Amino acid sequence: MKVISAVLEFLPEKQLQPPHEHAEEEFQHVISGSGTWTLNGKESPIKKGDLMYAKPWDMHGISNTSSDTLKFFVMKWVNKGVVKPVKK
């Protein structure tokens, strides 16, 4: 299993990337700031201390909707045998 971790930060009113999907499971933990977490089309406010999780192939993204820098820790990994589901 390959694990990737990083600390990321981005400027006020910026989106790190548009909602996307991938084979990795992913945790994101907000270190400072606030913003919006999108998971499978549903948006939720996030703030310092919040922990978000996306399972493989969940459509997810994070946006900084505040006037401060948003900083978060991310860890993601691929488990063996994860296949892309067939969309109905």
Side-chain angles (χ1 to χ4, degrees):
M1 175 169 54
K2 178 174 110 175
V3 176
I4 297 170
S5 64
V7 173
L8 304 169
E9 60 181 63
F10 52 109
L11 298 173
E13 305 298 327
K14 299 292 180 182
Q15 183 178 49
L16 183 62
Q17 58 189 180
H20 60 285
E21 61 182 4
H22 47 68
E24 294 92 356
E25 291 184 71
E26 183 172 342
F27 278 107
Q28 295 182 357
H29 180 256
V30 181
I31 298 168
S32 63
S34 60
T36 301
W37 169 250
T38 303
L39 182 64
N40 296 321
K42 182 181 177 193
E43 292 187 347
S44 302
I46 56 172
K47 63 185 180 330
K48 180 180 176 179
D50 287 347
L51 179 67
M52 295 80 69
Y53 170 74
K55 65 183 183 296
W57 307 114
D58 275 349
M59 187 67 71
H60 64 285
I62 187 170
S63 299
N64 184 349
T65 55
S66 73
S67 58
D68 297 316
T69 299
L70 176 61
K71 185 175 184 178
F72 63 97
F73 169 79
V74 60
M75 182 169 53
K76 61 184 184 176
W77 63 96
V78 175
N79 283 313
K80 291 183 179 180
V82 172
V83 296
K84 188 168 186 172
V86 176
K87 297 198 180 201
K88 298 178 183 179

